Amino acid sequence: MARSPTIVVTILQAASVGAPRHREHQRDAVRDELLRRDLLLGSTVAAAGGTVVTSGDETFAAIFSTPKNALSAALSAQRALQAIDRDELDDFSVCIALHTAPAPFKDDPSSDPAFGETASLLGAGRGGQVLLSEATIVHVRDVLPQGCSLRSLGRRQLKGRSNPEEVFQLVAHGLSDDMPPLTVLDSEIPERHLDPTRLPFVGRDAELYALHNALDQALAGNGQVALLAGEPGIGKTRTAERLTLAAAERGTWILWGNCFEWQGAPAYWPWTQVLRAWLREVDEQTLGTFSREQAALVSQIIPEIQERLHDLPVPPAMEPDARFFQLLAATGSLFRVAAAHQPLVVVLDDIHWADSPSLQLLRFLAQEIRDTRALLIATYRDTEVDREHPASPILADLVREPHCHRFLLQGLPKQQVARFIALATGTAQPQSLVNTVYGETEGNPFFVTEVVRVLVEDAEPGQAISAQRRTRVPETVREAVRWRVARLTPDCVFALTVASVIGRDFDVNLLARATGVPAPELLEALEEALRSQLLLPGEEPGTFRFTHALVQETLYQESSTASRAKLHLAVGEALEESADRQAPWAELARHFYAAIPFGMPAKAANYSEKAGQAAMEQFAWQTAATHFEHALATLPLTGKSDPTRTCDLLLSLGEAQNRFGSGAGDVPEARSSFLEAFELAQELGDGERMARAAVGYAGMNMVAVFGGPRQLELLEEAFVALDPVDSPLRVRVLARLAVDLWHRSSKNLDKVQELSDAAVSMATRLGDPTLIGYALWARHASGHRPDNLEERVIDSARLASLAEQTADPLI
């Protein structure tokens, strides 16, 4: 939602390090040093346009109207302070902290909570440092003085703030550079405990610099796309999170969508999450600017939009591919409306698991946002996207666009691994340990975290962390996860194992139904997993999320095949208990298909068929094909022969295969499915199913010069077997026969003309514009003769009129 403009000020606070230690024995020298500090800081603040708030014995504080001026004052003051040649108190130094917060303050500015936050930041530093909070970084990152840079020091909980925040150090000539890690209070981080919310963020400076530039472009109205690629655990999601923190401070609307690893998620699942989050927050005035006709199309993805915009019109009937294009266009319009109201940053995480329609929508929106205030970020494992992956051609298209930027994240260099370990553990570690950890992890941040966590928790109280205390550092992150799981109670391990079957995100109520364990007992067991950082709380009450997909994958793979099948059955039955009219067919299909060794193949077949039909309605052709294949494979296991149902499944499978492969025109897999369906329909004496199979066998490309070897034979047999009454199916058989005969021989021109004229006449009688367009295309494609130019010109004009009337891109 739009934020009202907020006036902010930047607070500069400084504290002397070393003064308390000398206060008793060198009181006069300390007093003189503090006075010199305040005079120097006061003059620097005044020169930079700031206002002194407090000065004296403990700390110095000032406020500035612009963060840039505050940074300039801090840099000048620290350089001057470090240049002082002290005869006494040679360890006396000053730490300076900058923090940006809303204004105005209360009557007594120093009592404002923002000063407490700045003091908390100051308390984490050391003498000679200039520290900056996240709130200040977003304002000064792009206006740093020449020769200056920023270094992340990890995260710290600031007093009065709900979440830990990243702290940065100003690096510049004349300032101390080699500083130990931030000071850490024992009460903040337990001795043998690494909190994932406080784990440092190290490196990625070049990537973040480029991402900030992309964000600047987007905020200026030049929409951008960023692709973050890399192996599992390399930091793709955390890098995206890093940018969204800064983007949120600049008034953007942050929307996240996570992809699901298995086939249990419905089509468009990542976009569903994004759009639902937008719908929950958008006001009625903004929503009212969105076309009701397009809202009706988008409601196919987000039914909740019907609750906000009542009595939406019914979308007009059209071919599935045309309807899919209209849905893309409508979703694009919605994003344009949203970005016009407030800048957007949309993050799609793990798109290597995305369904084909979600990827198509990503490609479409990447074009639609070119002139909007929107930044699309997509993360994916490049190790899983080969040439056969559905994301491969879409990513190839995207990276060719000038407004799209691809970043391949690599492992951290050894010096950054050393810094990561020092920040994570609270102290610098021996080079031997750094070398060992780096050699085992190759700088993968998640692997480093897991390995160091094992070493920290395995160390004896009061003793240094050492890789030599164990026979070896864990060879893989999966071993590290197994080691952590082994330290949990059996109840917790059982709950996590069942949860891993549900997925990376799960609901405790579903887990309770699947395990038979009451929810309160499960919550108690899961608390242990939360403390061990294997889980994080979900966005909704009672929901949880594995900290990383690798944690969930490891737990899932640890179970035997038989155990997993049994657990899938338990989860499937639990889902059945809670399923309503919006039944999660894909999830039910996944669980019951995986549970086939324990029986109930009929349910697996039924749910797979329903999931396939639901996927077809959402244009998820590849997903639908997989579900229909599962249904066909499962049907014989039921022990009942049902050739009619088998024929229908083959027809549905062929249609999904045709549509998924329609870009190539020739789909051998689809022809095989349709041929098998035709032969079954022939045995059944079912002319309608024979016709559907013959038309499907001929393919979706009307002007294709290729076809199956039995194409003409199937079409002719279907034409004879089909009931000779007007019907859309008979129009399609006539039209395809005409085109096929025209391709086969020039001797059939009269027959071709007769068939194509009959198709157009029948379609006209039926009054379906899309069907009329189909028949006209057939007559146009089969009528290339020198004596019918005028007729073809008339047909072309009718086709153009129909295309305009129906807004069907296929016409």
Side-chain angles (χ1 to χ4, degrees):
M1 296 176 65
R3 294 185 174 96
S4 301
T6 302
I7 300 173
V8 297
V9 296
T10 297
I11 305 164
L12 181 154
Q13 283 194 34
S16 299
V17 179
R21 187 164 51 254
H22 297 288
R23 192 179 304 279
E24 293 300 322
H25 307 291
Q26 296 171 284
R27 192 171 299 175
D28 292 342
V30 169
R31 184 189 64 240
D32 293 344
E33 198 61 57
L34 290 173
L35 178 61
R36 178 158 56 172
R37 178 203 72 182
D38 288 352
L39 287 173
L40 191 154
L41 285 168
S43 62
T44 307
V45 166
T51 302
V52 176
V53 176
T54 60
S55 64
D57 192 36
E58 295 300 330
T59 61
F60 176 96
I63 57 175
F64 293 81
S65 59
T66 66
K68 182 180 179 182
N69 288 355
L71 179 64
S72 177
L75 177 60
S76 299
Q78 193 63 277
R79 279 174 169 165
L81 287 165
Q82 294 195 32
I84 294 175
D85 185 13
R86 296 182 175 88
D87 294 328
E88 297 181 87
L89 310 182
D90 56 355
D91 60 346
F92 188 100
S93 57
V94 177
C95 181
I96 299 176
L98 300 179
H99 178 53
T100 304
F105 296 114
K106 303 171 183 177
D107 294 336
D108 177 11
S110 62
S111 68
D112 192 274
F115 273 79
E117 296 166 10
T118 313
S120 180
L121 174 65
L122 191 66
R126 302 176 187 273
Q129 282 183 314
V130 175
L131 301 181
L132 298 87
S133 69
E134 286 181 356
T136 300
I137 284 295
V138 297
H139 296 285
V140 302
R141 186 189 297 274
D142 298 328
V143 292
L144 291 175
Q146 187 173 4
C148 294
S149 61
L150 298 169
R151 174 182 296 158
S152 172
L153 300 181
R155 301 176 75 80
R156 179 178 173 87
Q157 183 69 51
L158 302 185
K159 181 180 179 181
R161 306 288 276 190
S162 58
N163 295 308
E165 296 192 15
E166 189 168 16
V167 177
F168 293 83
Q169 175 185 341
L170 180 67
V171 179
H173 176 69
L175 301 188
S176 299
D177 186 12
D178 188 18
M179 291 286 181
L182 294 176
T183 58
V184 179
L185 300 179
D186 291 341
S187 61
E188 291 179 336
I189 300 181
E191 183 180 358
R192 300 298 178 196
H193 189 71
L194 297 183
D195 186 340
T197 64
R198 297 169 192 254
L199 289 174
F201 183 90
V202 173
R204 310 301 182 210
D205 293 337
E207 292 86 354
L208 285 171
Y209 181 80
L211 285 169
H212 277 278
N213 285 339
L215 177 62
D216 290 340
Q217 288 289 319
L219 294 178
N222 302 307
Q224 302 286 300
V225 179
L227 304 174
L228 300 180
E231 65 182 18
I234 204 67
K236 303 178 292 295
T237 303
R238 288 205 69 193
T239 301
E241 288 173 344
R242 198 92 207 133
L243 182 73
T244 60
L245 286 173
E249 290 288 343
R250 299 178 68 176
T252 63
W253 205 337
I254 311 298
L255 301 170
W256 279 78
N258 298 292
C259 299
F260 194 59
E261 179 181 5
W262 291 313
Q263 298 165 10
Y268 307 101
W269 180 239
W271 293 109
T272 298
Q273 298 167 72
V274 166
L275 293 172
R276 281 176 176 161
W278 177 80
L279 192 62
R280 282 195 299 268
E281 300 296 332
V282 70
D283 56 54
E284 298 299 329
Q285 183 178 359
T286 303
L287 189 59
T289 62
F290 186 45
S291 160
R292 293 179 62 80
E293 288 73 20
Q294 291 185 320
L297 289 165
V298 176
S299 68
Q300 296 173 79
I301 301 177
I302 310 295
E304 294 90 337
I305 204 169
Q306 296 270 7
E307 300 171 7
R308 298 285 299 277
L309 296 173
H310 304 290
D311 302 322
L312 292 176
V314 177
M318 59 183 73
E319 286 289 310
D321 283 348
R323 193 155 55 98
F324 179 47
F325 179 83
Q326 294 298 329
L327 173 61
L328 296 181
T331 310
S333 296
L334 185 147
F335 271 91
R336 295 182 70 86
V337 167
H341 178 61
Q342 183 173 348
L344 299 177
V345 173
V346 178
V347 183
L348 298 186
D349 207 12
D350 293 328
I351 63 168
H352 52 276
W353 288 327
D355 57 291
S356 181
S358 291
L359 294 169
Q360 297 288 352
L361 184 52
L362 171 62
R363 177 165 55 183
F364 186 88
L365 289 177
Q367 300 297 325
E368 285 292 294
I369 65 163
R370 279 175 174 272
D371 58 349
T372 69
R373 298 182 299 164
L375 169 62
L376 291 181
I377 302 175
T379 74
Y380 66 96
R381 296 180 184 177
D382 63 324
T383 54
E384 298 195 18
V385 180
D386 55 21
R387 289 186 177 181
E388 303 301 319
H389 195 285
S392 182
I394 289 172
L395 292 171
D397 287 346
L398 289 177
V399 296
R400 285 194 288 267
E401 297 293 337
H403 68 302
C404 180
H405 317 274
R406 181 178 181 269
F407 306 94
L408 179 60
L409 302 188
Q410 307 283 358
L412 299 174
K414 186 181 293 185
Q415 62 270 28
Q416 291 184 352
V417 170
R419 183 165 184 76
F420 184 100
I421 296 172
L423 292 170
T425 60
T427 184
Q429 298 296 335
Q431 189 61 42
S432 59
L433 183 141
V434 172
N435 292 341
T436 304
V437 172
Y438 179 77
E440 294 290 346
T441 65
E442 297 183 348
N444 181 298
F446 181 72
F447 295 4
V448 171
T449 299
E450 292 303 305
V451 169
V452 171
R453 193 191 306 277
V454 169
L455 296 175
V456 168
E457 296 182 4
D458 197 43
E460 295 294 334
Q463 298 212 0
I465 300 169
S466 171
Q468 282 68 43
R469 289 193 56 79
R470 296 172 58 83
T471 55
R472 55 186 168 82
V473 174
E475 291 179 354
T476 67
V477 70
R478 295 187 188 278
E479 184 180 339
V481 173
R482 293 187 196 105
W483 183 89
R484 289 169 59 199
V485 171
R487 299 166 70 93
L488 302 175
T489 62
D491 287 346
C492 184
V493 174
F494 172 66
L496 290 177
T497 302
V498 181
S500 74
V501 173
I502 296 173
R504 187 176 177 186
D505 298 276
F506 62 93
D507 184 299
V508 71
N509 292 318
L510 176 60
L511 187 62
R513 288 192 296 272
T515 59
V517 178
E521 293 181 25
L522 283 174
L523 288 171
E524 186 175 345
L526 294 175
E527 277 294 326
E528 187 181 355
L530 288 168
R531 289 193 299 271
S532 297
Q533 289 88 55
L534 292 168
L535 292 181
L536 293 171
E539 294 185 1
E540 301 295 331
T543 63
F544 298 89
R545 179 178 179 83
F546 285 99
T547 51
H548 196 282
L550 286 170
V551 175
Q552 182 251 327
E553 291 170 18
T554 299
L555 282 160
Y556 184 77
Q557 293 298 330
E558 282 298 285
S559 302
S560 66
T561 302
S563 295
R564 285 201 300 268
K566 189 174 182 179
L567 291 176
H568 275 293
L569 178 60
V571 173
E573 291 177 335
L575 275 173
E576 279 186 315
E577 294 177 18
S578 60
D580 56 14
R581 57 190 179 87
Q582 297 292 334
W585 302 123
E587 287 187 66
L588 288 165
R590 173 172 72 89
H591 290 299
F592 278 101
Y593 186 75
I596 283 177
F598 283 86
M600 297 192 182
K603 283 191 176 183
N606 290 341
Y607 288 136
S608 293
E609 184 175 7
K610 288 180 181 295
Q613 292 166 349
M616 291 291 283
E617 291 174 3
Q618 294 191 312
F619 321 111
W621 317 126
Q622 187 180 30
T623 301
T626 300
H627 285 306
F628 291 135
E629 286 171 347
H630 287 176
L632 282 164
T634 309
L635 207 56
L637 302 178
T638 63
K640 297 179 182 178
S641 176
D642 190 344
T644 300
R645 187 179 180 191
T646 300
C647 183
D648 287 341
L649 283 170
L650 285 166
L651 290 170
S652 296
L653 173 60
E655 184 181 355
Q657 291 168 328
N658 249 345
R659 294 193 179 283
F660 178 66
S662 60
D666 185 22
V667 190
E669 298 84 359
R671 284 206 302 270
S672 176
S673 299
F674 282 121
L675 180 58
E676 190 176 349
F678 184 92
E679 291 171 347
L680 266 177
Q682 200 172 32
E683 292 175 10
L684 293 167
D686 191 321
E688 183 174 339
R689 286 183 171 84
M690 288 172 62
R692 287 175 58 194
V695 171
Y697 185 91
M700 296 182 64
N701 193 334
M702 178 70 74
V703 295
V705 295
F706 45 72
R710 296 185 59 185
Q711 183 166 314
L712 181 59
E713 172 193 342
L714 266 55
L715 286 168
E716 289 178 333
E717 288 189 35
F719 179 68
V720 173
L722 189 61
D723 193 356
V725 297
D726 288 1
S727 69
L729 186 54
R730 191 167 182 82
V731 170
R732 294 181 185 278
V733 172
L734 286 166
R736 291 313 307 243
L737 260 177
V739 174
D740 198 62
L741 282 171
W742 183 82
H743 279 308
R744 302 276 175 170
S745 171
S746 59
K747 298 179 181 179
N748 299 317
L749 295 184
D750 290 340
K751 182 66 173 177
V752 166
Q753 183 74 44
E754 178 187 340
L755 290 169
S756 62
D757 287 347
V760 171
S761 298
M762 189 177 295
T764 303
R765 291 194 298 272
L766 291 170
D768 182 343
T770 301
L771 195 62
I772 296 171
Y774 184 92
L776 285 171
W777 259 117
R779 186 159 73 180
H780 186 275
S782 61
H784 290 265
R785 303 195 309 273
D787 60 342
N788 70 341
L789 179 60
E790 184 176 351
E791 180 184 52
R792 294 180 65 220
V793 168
I794 294 172
D795 283 352
S796 298
R798 287 186 67 188
L799 278 169
S801 176
L802 286 167
E804 186 175 347
Q805 173 189 340
T806 61
D808 189 333
L810 298 182
I811 297 180

